[in-house]
């Protein structure tokens, strides 16, 4: 794995992480409005989806990851002005492969995520 963050994250900007379709058991996605209330909707979607897949024993851990990913997309990838109803939504993707579950969030930003330099471990944000 290289140290160049933009190279490492490049496939995610294009869409979902590369997955071998032969190994995908289930896949689901939902569009979320560009509002912070979407985090609750993302958790509810995740709970329903995992229950349908009979794979909800790790819901708490997965919900934490989904909440963090959606919150980061809403906080850092939406336009600086107040989101309008016609703004592109954030999209949550859940994909169950053989032994793993991929949680991915796509946002409308065209920018590249930039890693922050190591710093204060007690910071309230920026550690995601």
């Amino acid at each position: 794995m290289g140290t160049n963050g933009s190279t490492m994250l490049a496939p995610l900007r294009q869409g979902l992480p590369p997955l071998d379709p032969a190994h995908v058991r289930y896949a689901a996605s939902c569009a979320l409005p560009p509002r912070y209330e979407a985090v609750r909707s993302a958790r509810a979607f995740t709970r329903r989806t995992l229950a349908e897949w009979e794979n909800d024993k790790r819901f708490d851990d997965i919900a934490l990851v989904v909440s963090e990913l959606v919150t980061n997309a809403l906080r850092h990838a939406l336009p600086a002005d107040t989101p309008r109803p016609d703004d592109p939504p954030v999209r949550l993707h859940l994909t169950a492969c053989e032994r793993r579950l991929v949680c991915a969030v796509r946002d409308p930003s065209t920018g590249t995520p930039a890693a922050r330099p190591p710093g204060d471990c007690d910071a309230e944000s920026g550690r995601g």
Side-chain angles (χ1 to χ4, degrees):
M1 174 154 78
T3 58
N4 183 341
S6 63
T7 301
M8 190 168 57
L9 294 174
L12 296 178
R13 289 193 325 241
Q14 307 300 315
L16 290 176
L19 298 170
D20 181 353
H23 297 284
V24 173
R25 292 179 54 213
Y26 304 105
S29 70
C30 72
L32 299 165
R35 296 186 301 275
Y36 286 111
E37 297 83 18
V39 176
R40 182 181 311 144
S41 299
R43 285 192 303 264
F45 171 78
T46 301
R47 181 179 297 280
R48 284 190 311 273
T49 301
L50 294 177
E52 288 173 15
W53 295 350
E54 298 177 355
N55 189 20
D56 54 354
K57 54 190 166 285
R58 304 266 336 250
F59 170 75
D60 291 338
D61 296 331
I62 296 166
L64 178 64
V65 170
V66 165
S67 297
E68 185 71 18
L69 291 173
V70 172
T71 299
N72 285 346
L74 294 169
R75 179 178 291 161
H76 301 291
L78 293 179
D81 57 347
T82 305
R84 298 174 315 274
D86 59 336
D87 282 337
V90 170
R91 182 164 281 281
L92 169 63
H93 300 274
L94 301 175
T95 306
C97 299
E98 289 177 347
R99 293 187 183 170
R100 64 183 171 153
L101 177 73
V102 176
C103 303
V105 173
R106 187 171 19 192
D107 59 57
S109 175
T110 58
T112 300
R116 293 183 184 179
D120 183 8
C121 293
D122 295 325
E124 288 297 315
S125 67
R127 298 177 291 152

